[in-house]
Structures are given as C-alpha cells and as structure tokens.
Amino acid sequence: MEWENLGERPVYENPWFQVNLADVVLPDGRHLDHFVIRQRSVALTAAVNDANEVLLLWRHRFITGTWGWELPAGVIEAGETPEQAAAREMLEESGWKVGPLRHLVTVEPSNGLSDCLHYVYQADGAEYVGHPEDDFESNRREWVSLKLVPELIRNGEIRSANTVAALLILHNAKL
C-alpha cells in the first residue's frame, strides 16, 4: 500500500527549507493534498570519553519552550560530507575537537512531514581547544554519564529525537 506522489508545487522557500504542496494518490485512488517540508540534512556527534560519559549541550528551544540536553548538531553545508559537518558542528558548538568519527545511525525525525536526514556519528573522546565559537547555542556543556540516559529521557531532560536515538544506542552498547 504505497502512496504515490504525482508532483509538488512550492508554497514557501528560504535557504533552510522549502514547503511544498504534494498531489498524493492514496492506495484506494483518492487524491490528497499533503504538505511536504524539504530540508537540508543535519549531522551530529556523540563524543564518548573513557568514563562512558557523553558530551552534551544544555539548551533552550524557543519553538517548544523547553530546555534539554542535546548533542552538538547542525546542517550540512554545500560541499561538506556529513562526517565533516559533524566534526565542525562539535567544535563550533562545544569547543571540543573530535578525532576519527564512526557512523552510528541515520534517522528521519519527522518522516511523515519532512525528508530531512540526521546523520549521527560517534567519536572516542574529544580534546578541549577553547571556548565555543557558537556559545549562544547552549547555556552549558557537560560530560554526562551514559548510565543516566534512560532516566534523563524519562524525565524529559533529553527530548530531541536524534539525541534520544543516539544515546539509547550508545547506552545499550556501552553498559
């Protein structure tokens, strides 16, 4: 039972995303107008140290009015690989430089509305090189024990879908 997209027309566009209206045919033959958000992909890094702690950012999200722990993340720039973007965003947002990265998982956080992919990488540790260039991204940066991940998620202190997915994978693999 696949839905068929007969085509899309732009409704709104900016450098970050485009909103389209798609003409979709449902399996029973009915047509449906469906909004689609076409977004630039995102890359993020989970740096884990020898004490099984992960480097997280404590930040406010004005759209939802919530605070929470998140992994450093950002859009992949033109000409950049997801891995390069993950390393760059880690440094810009945290002030920590990572070494070699390993792909952990790719998630689609809102695939009923958006085509955005989030590429998650893992690094073994990181080196502090200085205050983050993008310090406005978070109020603080801390190494948080992976043992605390399930409790932090249950308490609503980790809400971002890409961070939840990555940290649950790491929690289960490391402990």
Side-chain angles (χ1 to χ4, degrees):
M1 286 196 344
E2 289 188 15
W3 294 18
E4 183 182 358
N5 184 347
L6 296 180
E8 301 177 17
R9 67 176 176 82
V11 175
Y12 175 79
E13 187 173 353
N14 69 37
W16 296 94
F17 64 88
Q18 179 175 332
V19 178
N20 294 342
L21 188 59
D23 179 13
V24 178
V25 179
L26 301 177
D28 65 5
R30 289 181 294 149
H31 281 253
L32 172 71
D33 288 333
H34 195 293
F35 285 100
V36 178
I37 301 173
R38 301 290 181 192
Q39 291 179 269
R40 295 162 58 190
S41 293
V42 171
L44 54 155
T45 301
V48 180
N49 65 19
D50 291 337
N52 278 336
E53 298 168 325
V54 63
L55 184 60
L56 295 176
L57 310 178
W58 181 254
R59 64 178 303 165
H60 180 257
R61 291 294 183 178
F62 75 93
I63 296 169
T64 56
T66 57
W67 286 90
W69 292 110
E70 296 182 16
L71 294 169
V75 297
I76 300 169
E77 301 294 343
E80 196 174 40
T81 67
E83 185 175 343
Q84 290 167 334
R88 176 184 52 76
E89 289 290 342
M90 171 63 87
L91 180 60
E92 289 175 358
E93 294 186 1
S94 74
W96 291 77
K97 183 178 180 179
V98 292
L101 296 175
R102 292 184 308 282
H103 181 256
L104 184 63
V105 66
T106 299
V107 294
E108 300 171 351
S110 188
N111 61 6
L113 188 59
S114 169
D115 64 349
C116 188
L117 297 175
H118 289 215
Y119 298 92
V120 184
Y121 289 87
Q122 177 185 353
D124 293 328
E127 174 190 354
Y128 183 71
V129 295
H131 193 74
E133 176 183 330
D134 292 346
D135 67 347
F136 62 89
E137 294 274 358
S138 63
N139 280 42
R140 63 187 200 264
R141 294 142 295 276
E142 293 182 18
W143 290 93
V144 176
S145 173
L146 284 171
K147 289 179 187 176
L148 299 176
V149 164
E151 179 182 349
L152 293 170
I153 293 170
R154 278 192 300 275
N155 292 340
E157 294 179 66
I158 301 174
R159 303 169 66 98
S160 176
N162 55 20
T163 297
V164 168
L167 295 184
L168 286 176
I169 290 169
L170 290 170
H171 173 267
N172 290 334
K174 296 278 187 181
L175 303 175

